[in-house]
Each structure stands twice: as structure tokens, then as C-alpha cells.
């Protein structure tokens, strides 16, 4: 059968694609004009200032209107807050306000912070035309070794995860942005990153009901606007050990639609992850399988060849009868409903000039909220904080390793005192050293690696920063060497990501163990205010061993 223009326009609504650059690229124009793609995801690589993002989104929407799209584009973004904050400011660009991520916000113990921070973030996104946030994370981080979720989760208690995830969903909706709970049916109990391989979760259905599925059941009960399916195998659901949940009809249709009665939009996680890309047929075939499984929208973020391949594969699948236009149109009604609620009309979208004065006022208010939430999130896990006098403080931060494909950013560079050993120092750790310098007159910042030479003067105190040292045990090896060399010196260990290493016997005996739950500059500034006794720590760890 030949596909009509109307058929192709319908098919285009079932994809969300990304593009490269700060302007609407030729690839983006082709996707919107030729393939009628109805949804765009912005990545960190597309974001400069809030004013720039507004202009970019206006250009994308104008392109879609000129191409004859019936409804405005859904403009999505990964804005979980914390470490996954594509809209938030960076060292180079002043964009959205940085708010605490899931584990940090859960450490406050107060879901109202999750709701208010999410609503505040949503108001900024809505003001620049972003109307779909791929958040909240509904995964329960029940495996401490999890390399991709970790502090992106609200914790290891499914009841608490559900409570905070619902608050985030409420806040985003209140701010006019569609939430998307992820990664259904649960990515928390795995030690494999789906960016790199295919995670397999070996649990019974009863165990899944008690843990993984609990937050998503709660979210479907309150009518979350959309849910993102993940690329993990759960044999108790899929019936085999090869099919990712995102491509399984047993998961998307039987479980999510029929059993949990979810009526919103189902979007897949990005199919360019190795869990799907390395399957037979790769990304294009994965797109067909996801739609056949019952997904409403298929996400492909990066590669234009995959974008074209997925569209052409979908055309062929319809022509062969593997996919059916009547089912796609029924699915498309859910997409249209999402657009009507969160994107609005063309007049709403294109009659939305950027108000710089209003944005400045909004961000000033949001900055205060963010600082308050971060201050409430810092936890003193054990020990008591020292009172530093005027002596030298040594700040030790780990050389940066790539631990998580979802959150790792570009790194800065710092040299040793002699200049001949080149270590990498992330800008957030350099920012933390500056936070300490604002509070102490004599500060030395050292970047340590596994072969760090501890034979030196450690002054009055050491602030020893770790980053997932439970998995990078060499950091704790260095800590032990420092403790041997710095006898009598006050040592504060600051876990700057997941706090699991602070429950290890290897940190027993240090004066204090503090957790910030993320290594954003804002979180580390809040940690410095706690370490120097300016703020009383009230946060509590949402995870344990």
C-alpha cells in the first residue's frame, strides 16, 4: 500500500528526535518538514541562555507551523534537576535555575520541597517554550551498585520514592509542563547501565509488585501525563531474557495499559542506547518493535541516520501490515490530548514573547528556594563537625572518572605543584575549593589519584571528597594513607554523590562524614556551609546498606 501525506503526518507524531547545535539545523528542518516529526527533545548541547532557548523554541515551532503541522510541537528535555539538568546553567551559560536532584531532595524528608522546586523549574521551562520534562525518576535504587540511576532516585524505599515522585509530577503539572515518570517498569535493581548493555532483573512478579512497580502504580493512579519505558529485561514480565521492556507488548500494553489502566502517553527511552542499538536490526527495527509493543512515542536523540532509518522502517512496517494506521491514529489521540493540555494552540505558542524582566524576577525567587532546599538536604551521616580556626585547610578531590553515561560532563584540568603531573579536576570540585576559600584564609586544593603521594603537611584539617568510592575503592585507599600521615588532623569526609561509602568500616574514626548526594556546585556550596558550622545539618540519607 502507498502511504498518503496524511498517513506520514500521523506517523511523524509518534517520534521525538534530537538535533545538534544552538540553532535550528538543516537536519531538524528536514525532520519537521519532510518527516512531520511532532516532538523535539532539547539536549545540553542545544542550551545557552534562557533567552536563547526561547528563540530556539520559537524557531522550531514556526518551522512546524509553516510545514502544516496541526498542533504545536511537544518540546521535551531531561530536567530531573540535580545531576541531570539539561536546562540548568553551566560554567559557560546562564540558563535555568539549578535545583536539587532526587536523592538530595528526598534527603530533606519533605515532599513539599520536591513539589515547589519542580513547579518553580517548570515555570522557567514553560516561559521559554519547553512543555515536556522527562521526570520524575520512579526507579527504586535497591542495588547500591547501580551505575546509571543512583542519586537520580529518591531512595531505596518504594513508599518514599512514590511519595516524592508524585510530588514532582504534581509540581511540574502545576507549572504547565508535562511530567514523564521513568524508567518503567523499574531500572533500580541492576548493576548494568542500559546506555552500555542490556540489564537483566531477575525478580518474581510478587517482588516487582512490592518494589519496582509500586511508585509507577501510585503515579498511574494520580494520572501522570506520560510514562517513559526503559531498556531492561525482566523475564517475569517479558517472558524471555532478550527483549527490553520498552519493546515488549507484555510490558507496554498488557501491564501498563490493561492492568495498571494507564491512559496517558507512553514514550520510550532513547533507542540509541546499546541495550537496543546492538540488537538485530538496531535502532530502526527497535522503533518498529516499540510501536508494535504499544508505545505512543519513540525517542531517538542523536544520530540523523537513525532518525531517517526509523522513519523509513516505520513506513515499511505499515505498508507490510506489521503496524496498522488505525492503531497509530488511536495512539495519536493520546498525543493530541497531551499537546492540547501542555502545548496549547499556535497562538499560545507563537504569541509568547520573551519577558526578560519577568524571567529575572522569577529566577531571583527560584534561587532562594533552591538555596533553602539544598541547605535542608545536606546530611551529617556520622561523627561531629570540627571547628576550624585559622590553620591551613586541605581540600582533596578525586581525579574524575566516567561513572555514568547519563550525567558525566566535560572536565577541567589542574596540574600538580611541580606542573609535570596532569590530573583532571571537574569544575564543580574547583568550585567547591572556592567555597572553602571563602570561609578559610589558607586553603590548598589537591586532586588525588590512586598513586597519590600522601607525604606532605596536611595543616589543621582535611576535607576529603569522594565520588562513589564504594565502587572506586582506590579513593578509600588514599583516605587510609592520608589518615596515617595526618595523625591528629581533623578529617571530614564528604561523599559528593551516592553516600554508600560512608556506611563502610573504612571511614570509621574520621571526625565527620557528610553527604551532599550530588556534586553540583550548588550542593557543594551548601555542604561547605554545613562543614563550617554556618548551617545545622538536617538532611537524612534516603538509602542505607
Amino acid at each position: 500500500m502507498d502511504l498518503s501525506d496524511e498517513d506520514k503526518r500521523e506517523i511523524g507524531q509518534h517520534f521525538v528526535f534530537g538535533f545538534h547545535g544552538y540553532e535550528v539545523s538543516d537536519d531538524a528542518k528536514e525532520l519537521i518538514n519532510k518527516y512531520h516529526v511532532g516532538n523535539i527533545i532539547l539536549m545540553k548541547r542545544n542550551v545557552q541562555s534562557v533567552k536563547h532557548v526561547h528563540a530556539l523554541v520559537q524557531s522550531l515551532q514556526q518551522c512546524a507551523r509553516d510545514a502544516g503541522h496541526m498542533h504545536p510541537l511537544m518540546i521535551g528535555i531531561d530536567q530531573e534537576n540535580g545531576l541531570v539538568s539539561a536546562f540548568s546553567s553551566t560554567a559557560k551559560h546562564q540558563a535555568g535555575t539549578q535545583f536539587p536532584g532526587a536523592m538530595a531532595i528526598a534527603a530533606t524528608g519533605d515532599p513539599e520541597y520536591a513539589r515547589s522546586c519542580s513547579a518553580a523549574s517548570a515555570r522557567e521551562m514553560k516561559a521559554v517554550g519547553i512543555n515536556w520534562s522527562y521526570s520524575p525518576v520512579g526507579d527504586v535504587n535497591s542495588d547500591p551498585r547501580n551505575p546509571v540511576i543512583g542519586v537520580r532516585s529518591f531512595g531505596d524505599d518504594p513508599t518514599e520514592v512514590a511519595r516524592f515522585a508524585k510530588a514532582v509530577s504534581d509540581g511540574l503539572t502545576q507549572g504547565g509542563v508535562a511530567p514523564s515518570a521513568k524508567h518503567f517498569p523499574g531500572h533500580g535493581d541492576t548493576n548494568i547501565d542500559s546506555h552500555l548493555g542490556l540489564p537483566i532483573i531477575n525478580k518474581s512478579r510478587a517482588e516487582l509488585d512490592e518494589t519496582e512497580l509500586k511508585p509507577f502504580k501510585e503515579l498511574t493512579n494520580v494520572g501522570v501525563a506520560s510514562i517513559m519505558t526503559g531498556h531492561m529485561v525482566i523475564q517475569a514480565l517479558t517472558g524471555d531474557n532478550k527483549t527490553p521492556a520498552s519493546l515488549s507488548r507484555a510490558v507496554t500494553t498488557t501491564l501498563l495499559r490493561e492492568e495498571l489502566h494507564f491512559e496517558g502517553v507512553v514514550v520510550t527511552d532513547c533507542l540509541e542506547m546499546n541495550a537496543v542499538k546492538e540488537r538485530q536490526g538496531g535502532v530502526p527495527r527497535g522503533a518498529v518493535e516499540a510501536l508494535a509493543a504499544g508505545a505512543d512515542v519513540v525517542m531517538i536523540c542523536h544520530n540523523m541516520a537513525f532518525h531517517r532509518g526509523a522513519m523509513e522502517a516505520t513506513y515499511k512496517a505499515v505498508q507490510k501490515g506489521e503496524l496498522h494506521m488505525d492503531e497509530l491514529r488511536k495512539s495519536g489521540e493520546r498525543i493530541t490530548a497531551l499537546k492540547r493540555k501542555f502545548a496549547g494552540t499556535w497562538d499560545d505558542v507563537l504569541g509568547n514573547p520573551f519577558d526578560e524582566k519577568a524571567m529575572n524576577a522569577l529566577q531571583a525567587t527560584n534561587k532562594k528556594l533552591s538555596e533553602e532546599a539544598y541547605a535542608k538536604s545536606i546530611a551529617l551521616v556520622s561523627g561531629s563537625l570540627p571547628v576550624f580556626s585559622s590553620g591551613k585547610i586541605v581540600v582533596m578531590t578525586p581525579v574524575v572518572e566516567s561513572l555514568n553515561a547519563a550525567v558525566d560532563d566535560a572536565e577541567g584540568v589542574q596540574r600538580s605543584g611541580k606542573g609535570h603531573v596532569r590530573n583532571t579536576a571537574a569544575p564543580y570540585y574547583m568550585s567547591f575549593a572556592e567555597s572553602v576559600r571563602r570561609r578559610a584564609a589558607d586553603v590548598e586544593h589537591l586532586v588525588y589519584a590512586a598513586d597519590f603521594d600522601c607525604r606532605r603537611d596536611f595543616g589543621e584539617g582535611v576535607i576529603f571528597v569522594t565520588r562513589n568510592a564504594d565502587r572506586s575503592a582506590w579513593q578509600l585507599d588514599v583516605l587510609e594513607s592520608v589518615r596515617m600521615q595526618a595523625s591528629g588532623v581533623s578529617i571530614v569526609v564528604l561523599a559528593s554523590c551516592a553516600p554508600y561509602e560512608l556506611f563502610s568500616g573504612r571511614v570509621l574514626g574520621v571526625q565527620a562524614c557528610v553527604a551532599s548526594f550530588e556534586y553540583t556546585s550548588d550542593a557543594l556550596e551548601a555542604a561547605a556551609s554545613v562543614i563550617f558550622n554556618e548551617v545545622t545539618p538536617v538532611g537524612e540519607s534516603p538509602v542505607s546498606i
Side-chain angles (χ1 to χ4, degrees):
M1 61 172 281
D2 291 330
L3 295 178
S4 66
D5 180 71
E6 182 183 355
D7 292 335
K8 290 184 177 181
R9 287 182 180 276
E10 175 62 52
I11 290 169
Q13 296 302 304
H14 296 269
F15 289 88
V16 54
F17 289 157
F19 65 98
H20 294 261
Y22 295 130
E23 307 297 332
V24 180
S25 65
D26 289 341
D27 286 345
K29 292 175 183 177
E30 179 182 338
L31 294 173
I32 294 169
N33 290 320
K34 179 180 177 180
Y35 292 108
H36 314 290
V37 169
N39 315 281
I40 296 291
I41 179 172
L42 299 182
M43 314 292 288
K44 200 79 166 176
R45 63 179 181 244
N46 305 121
V47 173
Q48 289 181 307
S49 67
V50 286
K51 186 175 183 179
H52 157 264
V53 174
H54 178 271
L56 176 62
V57 171
Q58 288 284 295
S59 296
L60 287 165
Q61 295 287 16
Q62 188 63 59
C63 183
R65 187 174 192 180
D66 292 345
H69 287 227
M70 185 175 296
H71 301 286
L73 303 168
M74 290 300 292
I75 305 291
I77 198 164
D78 264 330
Q79 186 68 10
E80 300 171 12
N81 292 323
L83 298 181
V84 180
S85 297
F87 180 59
S88 296
S89 298
T90 66
K92 292 182 179 180
H93 302 298
Q94 184 65 37
T97 301
Q98 177 71 58
F99 287 101
M103 195 169 287
I105 212 79
T108 69
D110 187 355
E112 187 53 40
Y113 277 118
R115 183 177 291 102
S116 59
C117 289
S118 296
S121 182
R123 284 190 284 271
E124 291 185 15
M125 289 188 279
K126 190 71 171 180
V128 300
I130 296 169
N131 49 35
W132 199 4
S133 179
Y134 304 115
S135 174
V137 172
D139 303 310
V140 180
N141 203 63
S142 48
D143 187 342
R145 301 168 299 167
N146 194 315
V148 68
I149 303 302
V151 295
R152 298 168 64 197
S153 167
F154 293 104
D156 57 14
D157 180 339
T159 300
E160 286 298 291
V161 171
R163 195 162 71 109
F164 279 89
K166 285 194 295 182
V168 169
S169 178
D170 288 346
L172 289 169
T173 304
Q174 177 187 331
V177 171
S180 187
K182 61 188 184 185
H183 306 81
F184 186 83
H187 206 319
D189 195 4
T190 175
N191 60 2
I192 293 176
D193 182 350
S194 54
H195 291 83
L196 307 175
L198 181 60
I200 298 176
I201 298 175
N202 293 309
K203 281 189 168 181
S204 69
R205 176 58 195 269
E207 290 172 316
L208 295 169
D209 284 331
E210 286 298 312
T211 304
E212 278 76 6
L213 293 177
K214 191 169 185 177
F216 293 102
K217 288 179 180 178
E218 295 278 349
L219 286 157
T220 58
N221 287 342
V222 297
V224 65
S226 66
I227 286 179
M228 178 182 287
T229 51
H231 309 316
M232 74 294 291
V233 166
I234 305 179
Q235 192 167 356
L237 300 177
T238 61
D240 63 52
N241 61 0
K242 295 180 180 179
T243 306
S246 54
L247 310 186
S248 168
R249 191 166 182 85
V251 171
T252 305
T253 297
T254 305
L255 175 58
L256 185 54
R257 290 284 185 216
E258 297 173 359
E259 188 174 331
L260 300 186
H261 307 292
F262 179 60
E263 297 179 353
V265 166
V266 176
V267 58
T268 71
D269 206 345
C270 178
L271 298 193
E272 291 186 62
M273 297 179 188
N274 285 355
V276 173
K277 186 170 67 175
E278 293 184 348
R279 287 168 55 84
Q280 185 174 358
V283 173
R285 180 61 196 167
V288 173
E289 292 182 9
L291 292 171
D296 298 305
V297 178
V298 170
M299 179 183 290
I300 304 172
C301 294
H302 308 291
N303 190 305
M304 188 63 180
F306 290 143
H307 296 153
R308 292 191 186 103
M311 297 301 303
E312 298 295 341
T314 303
Y315 293 164
K316 290 178 181 177
V318 172
Q319 290 170 327
K320 293 190 300 183
E322 187 177 1
L323 296 174
H324 303 282
M325 286 307 305
D326 57 342
E327 292 181 1
L328 289 173
R329 289 193 178 92
K330 184 177 180 181
S331 166
E333 292 174 3
R334 290 188 285 267
I335 301 169
T336 298
L338 187 76
K339 290 190 172 193
R340 284 177 174 157
K341 181 173 182 178
F342 292 100
T345 66
W346 284 117
D347 286 343
D348 295 329
V349 167
L350 295 175
N352 178 31
F354 182 71
D355 188 334
E356 189 164 7
K357 184 177 179 180
M359 177 60 78
N360 289 341
L362 175 61
Q363 292 200 308
T365 300
N366 288 353
K367 179 65 173 174
K368 292 178 182 178
L369 173 62
S370 173
E371 289 173 350
E372 179 184 333
Y374 272 117
K376 298 286 188 181
S377 73
I378 307 301
L380 177 61
V381 175
S382 63
S384 59
L385 292 165
V387 177
F388 295 122
S389 57
S390 57
K392 182 173 77 171
I393 305 298
V394 176
V395 175
M396 298 185 65
T397 61
V399 62
V400 175
E401 298 177 295
S402 181
L403 295 177
N404 185 329
V407 303
D408 284 330
D409 285 323
E411 302 159 358
V413 173
Q414 192 168 13
R415 293 181 182 272
S416 70
K418 295 183 179 179
H420 62 268
V421 177
R422 192 166 184 252
N423 285 330
T424 52
Y428 36 83
Y429 288 147
M430 291 189 280
S431 174
F432 176 65
E434 289 303 312
S435 292
V436 175
R437 288 189 179 101
R438 286 193 291 271
R439 295 167 169 87
D442 186 2
V443 177
E444 182 180 11
H445 179 200
L446 302 173
V447 180
Y448 68 89
D451 59 354
F452 182 80
D453 186 352
C454 292
R455 292 170 296 179
R456 63 183 66 238
D457 172 27
F458 285 100
E460 178 189 1
V462 176
I463 303 174
F464 190 92
V465 181
T466 59
R467 181 180 185 232
N468 290 348
D470 58 314
R471 281 179 272 150
S472 296
W474 60 268
Q475 297 176 35
L476 299 182
D477 294 338
V478 175
L479 174 61
E480 289 183 359
S481 298
V482 170
R483 293 175 68 182
M484 291 177 61
Q485 183 68 25
S487 179
V489 174
S490 296
I491 298 177
V492 176
V493 176
L494 170 60
S496 68
C497 199
Y500 294 110
E501 59 261 36
L502 300 186
F503 306 116
S504 165
R506 298 186 69 183
V507 301
L508 290 176
V510 301
Q511 183 151 355
C513 291
V514 175
S516 64
F517 305 104
E518 63 186 57
Y519 45 82
T520 58
S521 296
D522 301 72
L524 296 176
E525 166 64 20
S529 69
V530 165
I531 291 169
F532 283 86
N533 296 289
E534 298 169 359
V535 175
T536 301
V538 295
E540 294 189 8
S541 176
V543 295
S544 59
I545 294 295

